[in-house]
């Protein structure tokens, strides 16, 4: 599977697009905002002890920026945090910012660029003292598991809800011939045999280590990274994982004859939710970064849902549709590339029905990990 | 007119797209390649006398990169020139390159990004010693008449076939009420009254001065700029200018009742073809750059045309269609935003017929100016 071709959120601004279905991820950004603020405070205090940045320009990257309102919300949060932190330590004019949006080459960057003139105007209006033309938003398309920027150039790197995506499905799960080793399963779940789990963990370890190594080369001394991604819950959680519901919906389509069972057996999502211990160990082994903050928080699958009035039954189904729709904006391109476009409606209809129970009982929580790191 | 919204080449890869109709501009790039080679040679010789670039990374920008094969051809020419120039002065590994594509926010950047994986592979294969991951192609959307990059950061700036486009139609040509001052005319032509010519020249002077000032701030000492754009021919040229044929085609549509005459009177293209003296004077007055090379060459309107066999009559019309089609890919968005989509077919059909004569007689040549500049 060529990740750069098949993996992207649904582009554009239609009803089904990621851009219109990303309030869940927006909620995560809001939740992490106070930690972001602390990161930039620390960044400037550390920088003051050393040198001012080259050319009085702070270089920032958002890795896995996607497109739509969250892309801009992230820029706004980061610029605001930088400006507040700077104002606390210096009376001098705000530094210029060179801001790099990064995502895979199939991301809808055109959509973001079209919104830039309005965003720049708002930035100047909202941000006290931030002048038009003092923040330059560029794009660097490509995988963040490879090198993206010149050595020793970046001050602050941000990434939200991306690092649980692997660079590829681990090798060995989908044999060229013979029986697949994880029949019917589409991800590493609790019931996976240990060799399947190990294959996913190995891939995550390689990918996350490479992520850290590349950033280490690209960043200035004492540069900061802030990462948010989904991790395993250490406690026993009630209710099904949303991916197991997706797995069930696919199995139903096999039973009903819409999908060949071989087709399902040869499919795995390049997703891994690591344990906290696994993440810590990789960072320590890689040795470039010091962990400044390590925090988890839980969110309901429908946490970004806003509704005025619904009776209970409606509410249950409306919330399930909300969850199914935003997950469709994320998962449809990768599922459609394997199973075909035609069964997508049936699949997500079944998925939605399965979600209704989980949503009603407030089960199937997401466990989010936030880490801030400093390059030593 | 909000230039960033209406001014862009036709995107995508359809028959009508700029990407499929840019062989004329490709020819210009090929023509300028030897001069590009000399620029990079000089850049490295000058850099060697001073310091190596920061982090061993050469920073390059192509301003007005558009999208399609020419975008990649330009990158390939520039990277090749840098690699050859470097190899002549040093045995050390080739420097990394951070390459910024720039165009207005409505440019089809998605199309370019999708082509990147294949381009990177070809670059590694074709370019002796240029490793995968040592050239990073980023995008910086926005007007090059404003600031785009951090101070003192860029080594080489390139721009082909863009600077005859102004940042706006000069003020004073389209009054809010009363009679327009350039009735029926869509650009500054030989017959324009002197105040119209002066308004265009003033706008070009402001724009080009701003272009040079911004680049001067953004570039390292002894950084190089290479510019190609259309300029006025100093000799008396036979035959009509292609824009006067466009003007005639629009006038025909007024006569035939498809366009209101007021609609035509209030339209001007933000285009100016300066004289060589005007360009030299602006560079000298701005004072940041030394002119290293100043050269002109002529091209036929149909110079990029490649055809196998055509009899004479066919040839004439096929060539005229070729010219009309590539000019449509450039001019349609801006014309359609003023006159409406519906008359575009009629307009370009008439334009094509008018072009046939000019093309047949090898008249209506384009006069191209190439300048290389060094920041002092």
């Amino acid at each position: 599977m060529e990740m750069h071709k098949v993996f992207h959120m649904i582009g554009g601004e239609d009803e089904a697009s990621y851009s219109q279905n990303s309030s869940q991820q927006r909620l995560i950004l809001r939740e992490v905002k106070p930690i972001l603020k602390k990161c930039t405070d620390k960044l400037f205090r550390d920088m003051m002890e050393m040198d001012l940045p080259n050319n009085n320009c702070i270089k920032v990257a958002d890795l896995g920026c996607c497109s739509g309102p969250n892309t801009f919300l992230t820029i706004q949060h980061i610029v605001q945090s930088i400006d507040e932190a700077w104002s606390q330590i210096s009376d001098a004019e705000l530094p210029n910012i060179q801001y790099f949006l990064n995502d895979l080459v199939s991301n809808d960057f055109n959509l973001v660029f079209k919104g830039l003139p309005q965003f720049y105007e708002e930035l100047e209006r909202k941000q006290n003292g931030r002048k038009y033309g003092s923040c330059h938003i560029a794009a660097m398309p490509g995988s963040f598991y490879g090198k993206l920027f010149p050595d020793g150039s970046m001050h602050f790197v941000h990434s939200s809800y991306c690092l649980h995506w692997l660079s590829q499905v681990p090798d060995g799960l989908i044999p060229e011939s013979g029986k697949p080793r994880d029949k019917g399963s589409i991800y590493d779940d609790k019931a996976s045999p240990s060799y399947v789990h190990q294959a996913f963990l190995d891939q995550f370890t390689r990918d996350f280590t490479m992520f850290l190594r590349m950033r280490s080369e690209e960043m200035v001394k004492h540069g900061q990274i802030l990462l948010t991604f989904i991790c395993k819950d250490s406690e026993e959680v009630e209710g099904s994982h949303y991916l197991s519901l997706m797995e069930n919906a696919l199995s139903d389509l096999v039973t009903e004859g819409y999908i060949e069972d071989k087709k399902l057996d040869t499919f795995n999502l390049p997703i891994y939710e690591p344990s906290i211990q696994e993440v810590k160990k990789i960072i320590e082994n890689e040795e470039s970064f010091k962990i400044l903050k390590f925090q988890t928080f839980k969110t309901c699958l429908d946490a970004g849902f806003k509704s005025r009035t619904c009776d209970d039954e409606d509410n249950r189904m409306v919330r399930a549709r909300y969850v199914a729709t935003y997950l469709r904006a994320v998962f449809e391109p990768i599922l459609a590339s394997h199973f075909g476009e035609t069964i997508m409606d049936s699949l997500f209809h079944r998925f939605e029905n399965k979600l209704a129970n989980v949503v009603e009982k407030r089960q199937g929580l997401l466990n989010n990990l936030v880490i801030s790191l400093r390059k030593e």
Side-chain angles (χ1 to χ4, degrees), chain A residues 93-342:
Chain A
E93 211 173 321
L94 293 173
N96 290 313
I97 297 175
Q98 190 177 34
Y99 191 108
F100 288 90
L101 297 165
N102 159 266
D103 214 307
L104 292 175
V105 296
S106 46
N107 182 50
D108 191 352
F109 283 99
N110 282 355
L111 180 67
V112 182
F113 293 169
K114 276 180 195 136
L116 279 177
Q118 197 193 333
F119 180 77
Y120 283 134
E121 280 171 29
E122 281 169 18
L123 195 63
E124 188 179 43
R125 214 171 47 238
K126 282 187 197 160
Q127 217 74 7
N128 286 338
R130 167 66 55 197
K131 285 191 197 137
Y132 193 89
S134 66
C135 174
H136 296 282
I137 299 164
M140 177 58 225
S143 167
F144 53 53
Y145 293 125
K147 190 80 173 280
L148 294 168
F149 305 107
D151 284 349
S153 65
M154 304 303 289
H155 298 93
F156 183 62
V157 169
H158 175 268
S159 179
S160 183
Y161 256 53
C162 300
L163 277 161
H164 46 267
W165 287 96
L166 302 171
S167 70
Q168 60 167 72
V169 171
D171 288 333
L173 298 180
I174 305 167
E176 287 181 20
S177 62
K179 278 171 84 176
R181 304 178 74 182
D182 64 337
K183 208 164 159 47
S185 169
I186 63 166
Y187 75 114
D188 169 50
D189 62 12
K190 279 179 284 186
S192 296
S194 65
Y195 57 80
V196 169
H197 173 74
Q198 194 59 47
F200 272 97
L201 173 58
D202 288 351
Q203 186 64 47
F204 178 78
T205 304
R206 272 194 299 277
D207 284 345
F208 190 44
T209 303
M210 191 54 88
F211 177 90
L212 295 170
R213 191 161 300 157
M214 296 296 106
R215 301 302 84 78
S216 164
E217 291 178 13
E218 292 164 1
M219 295 186 81
V220 300
K221 193 179 172 196
H222 289 189
Q224 296 249 346
I225 301 188
L226 180 64
L227 308 174
T228 311
F229 53 96
I230 305 177
C231 73
K232 241 181 223 89
D233 206 327
S234 50
E235 300 153 35
E236 199 55 43
V237 185
E238 268 186 282
S240 299
H241 192 283
Y242 73 101
L243 287 177
S244 81
L245 301 179
M246 175 68 78
E247 213 168 80
N248 295 347
L250 284 162
S251 291
D252 288 354
L253 290 173
V254 171
T255 311
E256 295 166 42
Y258 292 107
I259 300 178
E260 277 185 71
D261 56 355
K262 215 162 63 184
K263 198 82 188 159
L264 176 55
D265 289 344
T266 53
F267 182 74
N268 277 282
L269 283 169
I271 279 189
Y272 180 70
E273 297 176 1
S275 74
I276 289 172
Q277 293 70 31
E278 287 163 358
V279 174
K280 276 195 171 151
K281 193 173 155 195
I282 296 168
I283 297 169
E284 281 159 13
N285 285 349
E286 200 279 330
E287 292 186 332
S288 306
F289 294 93
K290 181 180 165 191
I291 298 176
L292 298 184
K293 179 131 193 139
F294 208 94
Q295 185 176 322
T296 59
F297 65 97
K298 290 191 177 56
T299 44
C300 293
L301 278 172
D302 60 346
F305 182 72
K306 292 268 180 299
S307 108
R308 304 277 152 82
T309 50
C310 285
D311 65 28
D312 278 354
E313 178 56 20
D314 266 4
N315 199 293
R316 191 178 98 98
M317 287 314 296
V318 172
R319 283 175 179 268
R321 170 154 302 171
Y322 161 78
V323 176
T325 309
Y326 83 71
L327 289 172
R328 185 169 181 166
V330 174
F331 285 98
E332 181 172 307
I334 200 165
L335 288 163
S337 82
H338 187 81
F339 296 107
E341 280 291 347
T342 48

Side-chain angles (χ1 to χ4, degrees), chain A residues 17-56:
Chain A
S17 66
Y18 175 82
S19 150
Q20 297 289 329
N21 294 285
S22 47
S23 54
Q24 214 278 340
Q25 292 88 339
R26 183 147 67 252
L27 183 113
I28 302 292
L29 290 172
R30 295 229 158 93
E31 196 77 28
V32 175
K33 199 180 169 191
I35 306 175
L36 167 63
K37 177 81 182 68
K38 281 184 190 139
C39 279
T40 48
D41 285 349
K42 176 97 180 110
L43 175 66
F44 282 120
R45 280 201 306 275
D46 285 348
M47 273 182 3
M48 275 298 166
E49 285 171 22
M50 302 186 301
D51 262 334
L52 275 172
N54 270 342
N55 313 321
N56 195 27

